[in-house]
Amino acid sequence: VMCCCGPCAMYRRSALLLLLDKYETQLFRGRPSDFGEDRHLTILMLNAGFRTEYVPEAIAATVVPNSMGAYLRQQLRWARSTFRDTLLALRLLPGLDRYLTLDVIGQNLGPLLLALSVLTGLAQLALTATVPWSTILMIASMTMVRCGVAAF
């Protein structure tokens, strides 16, 4: 996996100690970064040659957003860390599973295509006063593809 979720992840102490300096001094645009630390640590582990593994039998508890505002803030933080850490992970992709490569591409291109579709639809609505059915269809199609990939 490309991101071992913080409350669910376990690491060998010896592996963590090798990467602790890089992990604790995480910077983004020259400033200390405190978001996306679980994804960053996973990518550091993969870059160091360690393996990550999903264990479906694992049970963990965590705090989840209980309002739409908190959920949207969480998703924005996650999106920022996804975009930032993708640059660190690009070298890893050829050596990883094809599904992970597809997932990384989808996580990065999907939001950009969604934003472009929404802007195109708004422009059509503003300039022609017509309902942007093609944009609505594109957004629905992108959603179905993303959900299908996740289900696969």
Side-chain angles (χ1 to χ4, degrees), residues 34-84:
D34 62 352
F35 63 88
E37 67 283 345
D38 48 1
R39 179 179 302 276
H40 186 71
L41 182 56
T42 303
I43 291 172
L44 287 175
M45 289 286 181
L46 290 169
N47 271 330
F50 294 104
R51 197 170 52 91
T52 59
E53 188 173 320
Y54 173 69
V55 180
E57 297 83 19
I59 298 173
T62 187
V63 177
V64 297
N66 59 0
S67 69
M68 185 57 77
Y71 172 75
L72 292 175
R73 283 189 300 276
Q74 175 198 59
Q75 294 302 305
L76 180 60
R77 278 193 323 273
W78 287 2
R80 287 190 323 213
S81 70
T82 296
F83 291 130
R84 178 197 62 203

